[in-house]
């Protein structure tokens, strides 16, 4: 099946292009980008031109940041093409509900992806936790925004979600593996004085689960979750890729390159089966954190300056 990629930026080039090149299901047939391109692939400067010129392309994968994504997503669905969305699936919950309704009306597939759910240890962690009672959980998601999102000012603009851009990956794993629904009970968000989105957040959930998200991490980067249960301890490290039970390595590795091939395989399966997959539960928790959270003002943040 032919697919087009829209927004040839960091994640498109790091993950989507290699995953599509190795995919038995998909052929990357076009790109849409104001600046980027992929060698050997027809490129368009705007989406409407691509949709008009290439009716043979059945699916479109959007790698844009969340705020500009809705208009593009709507155009794809109105043109009767299947749609795959990077995480988070939109800037607001209502716009994603609207897209899901539109896909249903058009009879096409919509897949709101959560790449971290495809990490190597996630399915086994979910199976191990099923039927166990969780006593406490601690999520630590601390990374250096300058290293992973260099110069991406959109991430600190309204709708960019700030530290919840990576933090929602942790929430996508949590909402997948925990036996019971998560309920946010408290949140504290740190906003740089010169920005519209938080650089750090601390969350509390019912049942003794807490999360610490921080974009200011220097040195070792941490994407860990640790649970104590009535049947022992479980840890997921490396963003869900490495599973430990009782402190011993059980499954997975530090390799994160399997996530996007698994997303494209799932997209192919959804299209073949005529189904969609839109789970907004991670985004609901982010919205709840913005609704319920206390706000602190912290030092200005500038991508160019350390500190
Ligand atoms: P990015 O490189 O800053 O942006 C991706 C592309 O989106 C840009 O190359 C640009 O495409 C287009 N774009 C940016 N701002 C735009 C605007 N205001 N209007 C229209 N197009 C715009 O971002 P990214 O890191 O790839 O992230 C994109 C999405 O992937 C985000 O939702 C992010 O959460 C998700 N994601 C990122 C990572 C990561 O490690 N970076 C990992 C997983 C998921 P053109 O200039 O080519 O038109």
């Amino acid at each position: 099946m032919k697919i087009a990629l829209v927004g040839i930026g960091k994640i498109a080039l790091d993950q989507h292009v290699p995953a599509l090149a190795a995919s038995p299901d998909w052929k990357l047939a076009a790109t849409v980008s104001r600046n980027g391109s992929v060698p050997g692939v027809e490129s368009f400067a705007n989406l409407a031109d691509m949709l008009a010129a290439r009716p043979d392309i059945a699916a479109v994968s959007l790698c844009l940041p969340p705020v500009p994504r809705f208009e593009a997503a709507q155009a794809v669905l109105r043109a009767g093409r299947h749609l795959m969305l990077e995480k988070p699936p939109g800037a607001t919950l209502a716009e994603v509900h609207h897209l899901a309704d539109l896909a249903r009306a058009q009879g096409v597939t919509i897949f709101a992806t959560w790449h971290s759910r495809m990490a190597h240890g996630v399915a086994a962690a979910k199976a191990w936790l099923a039927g166990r009672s969780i006593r406490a959980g601690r999520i630590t998601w601390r990374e250096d925004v300058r290293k992973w999102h260099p110069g991406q000012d959109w991430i600190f603009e309204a709708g960019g979600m700030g530290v919840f851009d990576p933090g929602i990956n942790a929430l996508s794993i949590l909402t997948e593996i925990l036996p019971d629904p998560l309920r946010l009970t408290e949140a504290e968000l740190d906003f740089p004085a010169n920005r519209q989105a938080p650089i750090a957040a601390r969350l509390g959930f019912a049942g003794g689960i807490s999360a610490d998200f921080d974009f200011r991490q220097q040195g070792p980067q941490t994407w860990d979750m640790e649970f104590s249960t009535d049947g022992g301890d479980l840890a997921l490290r490396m963003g869900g890729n490495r599973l430990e039970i009782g402190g011993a390595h059980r499954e997975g590795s530090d390799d994160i390159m399997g996530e996007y091939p698994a997303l494209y395989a799932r997209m192919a399966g959804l299209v073949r089966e005529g189904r969609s997959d839109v789970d907004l539960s991670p985004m609901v928790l982010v919205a709840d954190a913005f609704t319920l959270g206390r706000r602190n003002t912290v030092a200005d943040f500038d991508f160019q300056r350390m500190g």
Side-chain angles (χ1 to χ4, degrees):
M1 294 179 278
K2 292 179 189 164
I3 194 166
L5 272 184
V6 180
I8 305 302
K10 187 170 189 314
I11 197 63
L13 294 171
D14 287 358
Q15 298 286 347
H16 291 255
V17 171
L20 286 169
S23 170
D25 301 302
W26 297 105
K27 175 178 168 48
L28 177 56
T31 60
V32 179
S33 171
R34 299 163 306 178
N35 305 296
S37 62
V38 174
V41 178
E42 186 177 11
S43 65
F44 293 83
N46 87 55
L47 178 60
D49 291 348
M50 188 279 288
L51 292 169
R54 296 295 305 267
D56 57 315
I57 295 178
V60 179
S61 178
L62 299 185
C63 306
L64 305 166
V67 168
R69 199 171 313 132
F70 177 74
E71 297 298 330
Q74 203 175 32
V76 168
L77 294 173
R78 283 182 174 159
R81 318 301 168 87
H82 306 293
L83 176 66
M84 182 161 151
L85 298 168
E86 253 297 353
K87 48 65 48 170
T92 70
L93 293 162
E95 69 182 33
V96 190
H97 286 300
H98 178 84
L99 294 175
D101 291 345
L102 183 56
R104 201 173 305 117
Q106 292 285 83
V108 295
T109 292
I110 177 171
F111 180 22
T113 66
W114 299 106
H115 66 86
S116 292
R117 287 184 175 174
M118 299 299 188
H120 298 299
V122 170
K126 179 177 183 172
W128 192 89
L129 287 170
R132 289 190 162 90
S133 177
I134 293 169
R135 292 179 175 149
R138 190 175 59 203
I139 287 71
T140 311
W141 229 251
R142 298 175 72 96
E143 65 178 49
D144 181 354
V145 66
R146 292 186 175 92
K147 177 176 166 66
W148 302 102
H149 303 279
Q152 291 182 353
D153 280 309
W154 63 261
I155 223 164
F156 284 115
E157 286 166 9
M161 290 196 183
V163 76
F164 288 104
D165 179 86
I168 204 168
N169 298 334
L171 298 175
S172 75
I173 295 175
L174 268 184
T175 47
E176 173 69 14
I177 66 175
L178 293 185
D180 299 312
L182 267 177
R183 183 169 59 86
L184 186 101
T185 54
E186 57 183 326
E188 191 176 359
L189 314 183
D190 296 342
F191 286 74
N194 62 340
R195 299 285 180 167
Q196 295 295 329
I199 198 163
R202 293 160 296 284
L203 313 180
F205 301 92
I209 296 174
S210 64
D212 173 12
F213 300 158
D214 205 313
F215 249 160
R216 298 165 298 191
Q217 178 80 355
Q218 308 279 307
Q221 309 283 291
T222 309
W223 301 280
D224 284 355
M225 39 187 72
E226 296 164 331
F227 301 95
S228 136
T229 81
D230 57 352
D233 295 342
L234 176 147
L236 265 177
R237 306 197 188 282
M238 290 304 297
N241 279 289
R242 188 182 169 85
L243 174 64
E244 294 173 6
I245 306 289
H249 178 230
R250 171 71 68 91
E251 185 148 337
S253 68
D254 293 353
D255 168 27
I256 64 161
M257 291 304 283
E259 296 172 13
Y260 282 79
L263 289 180
Y264 278 102
R266 172 137 180 83
M267 178 66 181
L270 290 171
V271 169
R272 285 195 194 101
E273 294 158 17
R275 294 194 299 121
S276 289
D277 178 352
V278 178
D279 175 13
L280 286 173
S281 57
M283 203 167 149
V284 167
L285 295 172
V286 173
D288 285 357
F290 277 99
T291 306
L292 195 63
R294 287 190 295 124
R295 177 193 175 106
N296 301 319
T297 300
V298 298
D300 282 2
F301 176 81
D302 191 305
F303 276 103
Q304 309 309 322
R305 204 161 21 89
M306 298 303 289

